């Protein structure tokens, strides 16, 4: 047995004589490797010599500015004009952790590399407190050899990972957390945290819930279709930016500003951009309500209100001019829809979802459209005037026979009609609703409160976005 320790002594002596020769590759040495033997040998002259020599070895290495078994932090500033190559030294520190039963427990380990420590990890070696020597970091008693073999296998696994990292990154420091992470991955021990769903997944679930509300008649289908359309635009952006898997809690101010810029260069109107940004904020709020994330940083993002522009609308004379044109079938249907909504203040969604329950005939045989608006959660009440009634009768006085086209086609065809009629205005289908408000306030002198009830607004603050009081109206009202 003493011959074996003399061989170890000779190896240690060679390292002491020329440490730089042996430190070209990463080492993982610690005192236990040199004096882990029976208690009967601990008091011998050779053992005491080993401890003294190992202490000298540590002192020499530290004085040579080589970080081995020290607590020098990585952030320590080295002397000037001295270049350092990371010399990664790994060691293990063990201790006994008592379990539920007194004096019975498990040996835990801490990996140390250049003074940096890992989190405690279990070696799964269970024993009695008396079977562990904390001072000498070794086992004792009858099962010492068996436990020592288990510990050697434990160290071997981490040593192999340590050497592999050292081979892959020869000039970089090795961190204990990286060793531990590779060990967990290799053994299928990666901790599975609560997965945060992607923005796309949350949006899809949001749409499903919206359709459930439609099924329960709490929401109109066209509202959900509009959001689905916006979802496709957002998805195209995410694909272009390679953000298909972006988590819902990663939607932040930077994302919002970048998406806003994308919409601007794609020539979207400011009012449309505003709707997109509010929709994204709504999706994040939905995710918080579902418990998918607790991150509320997006709540502080302020959506810039679209600058108010002069509302675009058609006058009665302009609409009569278009009505007199010889229009194709698709253009005639388009303008009939446009004119009907311009006379009744219906939005695209409200028009497309009209049912016979929304048509009411009072005691004077006046036909009314009375419906609840999802957008403002208010009632809209408007009687059909002569022009609206003529269009209604043209299609058999049946609400279900009124022509229906997609919003995209309506916007496209109404521009073609304006060009044919030589009307130099940027028209969309929504300008029909603005035409109603403009005509009501400037030509019919209807009070704001009445317009509010007919259009279905909660208040009259939106009036400035739909119409402007013309000079002729002011003159007529003031000088009458």
């Amino acid at each position: 047995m003493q011959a074996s320790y003399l061989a170890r002594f000779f190896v240690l002596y060679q390292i002491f004589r020329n440490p730089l020769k042996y430190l070209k590759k990463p080492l993982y040495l610690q005192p236990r490797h040199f004096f882990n033997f029976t208690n009967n040998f601990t008091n011998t002259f050779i053992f005491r010599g080993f401890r003294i020599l190992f202490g000298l070895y540590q002192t020499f290495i530290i004085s040579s500015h080589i970080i081995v078994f020290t607590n020098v932090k990585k952030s320590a500033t080295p002397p000037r004009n001295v270049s350092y190559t990371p010399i990664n030294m790994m060691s293990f520190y063990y201790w006994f952790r008592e379990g539920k039963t007194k004096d019975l427990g498990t040996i835990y380990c801490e990996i140390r590399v250049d003074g940096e420590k890992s989190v405690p990890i279990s070696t799964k070696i269970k024993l009695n407190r008396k079977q562990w020597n904390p001072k000498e970091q070794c086992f004792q008693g009858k099962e010492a050899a068996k436990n020592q073999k288990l510990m050697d296998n434990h160290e071997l696994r981490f040593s192999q990972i340590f050497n592999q990292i050292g081979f892959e990154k020869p000039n970089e420091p090795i961190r204990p957390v990286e060793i531990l992470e590779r060990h967990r991955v290799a053994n299928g021990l990666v901790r599975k945290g609560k997965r945060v769903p992607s923005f796309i997944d949350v949006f899809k679930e949001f749409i499903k819930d919206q359709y459930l509300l439609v099924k329960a008649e709490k929401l109109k289908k066209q509202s959900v279709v509009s959001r689905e359309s916006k979802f496709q635009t957002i998805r195209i952006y995410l694909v272009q930016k390679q953000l298909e898997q972006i988590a819902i809690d990663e939607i932040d101010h930077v994302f919002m500003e970048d998406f806003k810029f994308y919409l601007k260069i794609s020539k979207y109107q400011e009012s449309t951009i505003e709707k997109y940004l509010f929709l994204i904020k709504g999706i994040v709020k939905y995710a918080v309500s579902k418990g998918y994330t607790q991150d509320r940083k997006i709540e502080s993002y302020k959506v810039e209100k679209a600058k108010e522009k002069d509302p675009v609308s058609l006058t009665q004379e302009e609409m009569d001019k278009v009505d007199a044109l010889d229009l194709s079938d698709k253009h005639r249907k388009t303008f009939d829809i446009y004119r009907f909504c311009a006379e009744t203040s219906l939005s695209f969604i409200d028009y497309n979802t009209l049912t016979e329950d929304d048509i009411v005939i009072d005691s004077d045989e006046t036909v009314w459209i009375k419906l609840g608006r999802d957008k403002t959660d208010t009632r809209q009440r408007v009687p059909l005037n002569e022009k609206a009634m003529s269009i209604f009768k043209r299609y058999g006085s049946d609400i279900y026979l009124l022509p229906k086209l997609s919003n995209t086609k309506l916007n496209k065809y109404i521009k073609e009609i304006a060009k044919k009629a030589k009307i130099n205005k940027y028209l969309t289908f929504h300008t029909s609703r603005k035409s109603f408000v403009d005509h009501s306030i400037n030509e019919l002198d209807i009070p704001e409160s009445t317009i509010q009830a007919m259009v279905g607004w909660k208040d009259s603050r939106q009036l400035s976005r739909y119409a402007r009081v013309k000079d002729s109206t002011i003159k007529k009202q003031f000088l009458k």
Side-chain angles (χ1 to χ4, degrees):
M1 181 178 287
Q2 290 192 9
S4 173
Y5 286 106
L6 286 173
R8 295 189 185 187
F9 178 83
F10 177 75
V11 172
L12 187 59
Y13 174 70
Q14 291 295 328
I15 293 174
F16 177 73
R17 284 187 59 193
N18 192 0
L20 295 179
K21 176 181 177 182
Y22 293 92
L23 291 176
K24 289 180 181 178
K25 295 182 180 180
L27 297 176
Y28 40 96
L29 304 173
Q30 60 187 106
R32 185 177 56 75
H33 289 149
F34 300 98
F35 32 83
N36 183 17
F37 28 78
T38 61
N39 291 333
N40 294 331
F41 191 66
T42 55
N43 292 323
T44 63
F45 172 79
I46 296 177
F47 174 75
R48 290 196 295 273
F50 277 163
R51 292 194 66 84
I52 294 171
L53 188 57
F54 197 85
L56 291 173
Y57 166 72
Q58 287 180 291
T59 304
F60 177 79
I61 296 300
I62 293 170
S63 65
S64 301
H65 301 291
I66 300 175
I67 306 173
V68 181
F69 301 117
T70 71
N71 290 323
V72 178
K73 295 182 180 178
K74 286 189 175 183
S75 59
T77 305
R80 293 183 178 179
N81 303 323
V82 177
S83 60
Y84 287 87
T85 300
I87 299 179
N88 299 302
M89 306 294 292
M90 182 173 74
S91 63
F92 301 90
Y93 178 75
Y94 298 94
W95 70 95
F96 175 84
R97 179 180 286 183
E98 191 174 69
K100 293 182 180 180
T101 307
K102 186 178 180 182
D103 291 334
L104 292 178
T106 307
I107 298 298
Y108 273 74
C109 171
E110 193 177 71
I111 302 172
R112 298 181 178 182
V113 180
D114 297 348
E116 187 177 351
K117 304 174 184 179
S118 73
V119 296
I121 53 174
S122 172
T123 64
K124 298 183 180 179
I125 301 174
K126 300 184 183 297
L127 70 171
N128 190 288
R129 186 188 294 275
K130 294 180 180 179
Q131 294 176 287
W132 175 250
N133 187 335
K135 185 176 181 181
E136 305 298 345
Q137 292 274 288
C138 63
F139 297 101
Q140 55 191 13
K142 293 181 179 180
E143 296 184 352
K146 175 186 174 182
N147 290 333
Q148 184 59 50
K149 187 176 181 179
L150 294 173
M151 182 175 285
D152 289 342
N153 290 334
H154 174 81
E155 290 187 9
L156 179 62
R157 288 197 299 272
F158 290 107
S159 298
Q160 289 171 342
I161 297 171
F162 177 80
N163 288 332
Q164 182 183 356
I165 298 173
F167 178 78
E168 294 172 1
K169 306 174 183 179
N171 297 317
E172 296 181 24
I174 299 174
R175 300 190 62 203
V177 65
E178 185 178 2
I179 298 171
L180 202 55
E181 186 64 28
R182 291 203 184 192
H183 165 73
R184 285 172 175 161
V185 171
N187 292 276
L189 301 174
V190 179
R191 295 175 181 174
K192 296 182 180 179
K194 187 177 180 181
R195 177 181 172 272
V196 178
S198 68
F199 175 81
I200 289 179
D201 289 339
V202 174
F203 208 129
K204 287 179 179 178
E205 186 177 338
F206 171 77
I207 294 296
K208 285 182 181 179
D209 284 354
Q210 293 279 288
Y211 274 116
L212 290 176
L213 291 174
V214 172
K215 192 175 181 180
E217 298 182 353
K218 299 295 183 183
L219 190 65
K220 290 186 177 178
K221 182 179 178 180
Q222 198 59 43
S223 299
V224 186
V225 172
S226 175
R227 287 164 190 154
E228 276 189 304
S229 176
K230 289 182 174 62
F231 170 63
Q232 295 305 322
T233 303
I234 297 171
R235 191 168 196 166
I236 291 170
Y237 164 78
L238 294 175
V239 171
Q240 288 183 4
K241 294 289 184 177
Q242 297 182 345
L243 295 172
E244 301 99 310
Q245 299 303 319
I246 186 171
I248 189 68
D249 60 354
E250 294 178 23
I251 303 298
D252 54 13
H253 291 61
V254 176
F255 176 89
M256 297 290 276
E257 285 297 313
D258 191 59
F259 180 62
K260 179 180 176 182
F261 178 74
Y262 166 80
L263 293 177
K264 282 185 175 180
I265 62 176
S266 299
K267 298 182 179 180
Y268 280 80
Q269 296 291 321
E270 288 186 3
S271 58
T272 306
I273 294 174
E274 180 185 334
K275 292 175 183 176
Y276 271 100
L277 297 180
F278 272 120
L279 177 59
I280 293 174
K281 287 190 71 174
I283 297 300
V284 176
K285 187 177 180 180
Y286 170 82
V288 172
S289 69
K290 287 285 187 178
Y292 295 142
T293 178
Q294 296 301 320
D295 197 335
R296 298 174 179 267
K297 56 178 175 285
I298 198 66
E299 288 185 1
S300 61
Y301 180 81
K302 292 183 178 179
V303 178
E304 185 179 349
K305 290 286 184 181
K307 295 179 181 178
E308 291 187 2
K309 298 179 180 179
D310 289 336
V312 178
S313 61
L314 290 181
T315 64
Q316 290 291 312
E317 292 75 14
E318 288 172 328
M319 285 191 283
D320 289 340
K321 179 182 177 181
V322 173
D323 215 357
L325 294 175
D326 183 18
L327 300 175
S328 64
D329 182 59
K330 67 178 183 182
H331 284 166
R332 174 54 61 189
K333 287 182 178 179
T334 298
F335 191 70
D336 281 347
I337 299 171
Y338 186 94
R339 187 70 185 261
F340 186 81
C341 291
E343 302 294 343
T344 58
S345 81
L346 292 178
S347 67
F348 171 76
I349 291 176
D350 293 332
Y351 172 81
N352 264 20
T353 55
L354 275 178
T355 66
E356 58 184 12
D357 294 334
D358 300 324
I359 305 297
V360 179
I361 302 176
D362 64 14
S363 58
D364 296 332
E365 295 188 355
T366 302
V367 181
W368 290 73
I369 291 179
K370 295 184 178 182
L371 50 84
R373 301 200 71 230
D374 291 330
K375 186 175 181 180
T376 57
D377 193 25
T378 56
R379 293 286 294 173
Q380 180 177 359
R381 297 166 291 150
V382 58
L384 269 61
N385 61 17
E386 184 180 346
K387 191 63 186 178
M389 280 300 299
S390 67
I391 297 173
F392 186 52
K393 289 177 180 178
R394 188 181 302 165
Y395 293 94
S397 299
D398 189 339
I399 203 69
Y400 297 110
L401 294 180
L402 287 173
K404 302 289 176 65
L405 292 172
S406 69
N407 196 34
T408 303
K409 287 184 178 180
L410 285 172
N411 285 326
K412 179 183 177 182
Y413 295 158
I414 200 65
K415 288 180 176 64
E416 293 173 357
I417 293 170
K419 186 176 181 181
K420 188 173 182 178
K422 297 181 180 179
I423 297 173
N424 189 24
K425 292 181 179 180
Y426 182 81
L427 295 181
T428 62
F429 182 75
H430 194 59
T431 57
S432 63
R433 189 166 160 86
K434 294 182 179 180
S435 299
F436 175 87
V437 177
D438 178 75
H439 181 63
S440 298
I441 196 171
N442 287 304
E443 302 298 332
L444 303 179
D445 299 331
I446 298 176
E448 289 185 5
S449 57
T450 305
I451 295 175
Q452 178 183 328
M454 295 169 71
V455 176
W457 290 333
K458 280 188 175 180
D459 53 57
S460 58
R461 285 182 296 178
Q462 286 187 317
L463 187 62
S464 60
R465 298 181 65 177
Y466 278 75
R468 293 281 192 273
V469 178
K470 296 177 181 177
D471 291 345
S472 58
T473 304
I474 297 173
K475 182 179 178 181
K476 182 170 60 175
Q477 292 287 334
F478 185 69
L479 299 178
K480 64 179 179 180

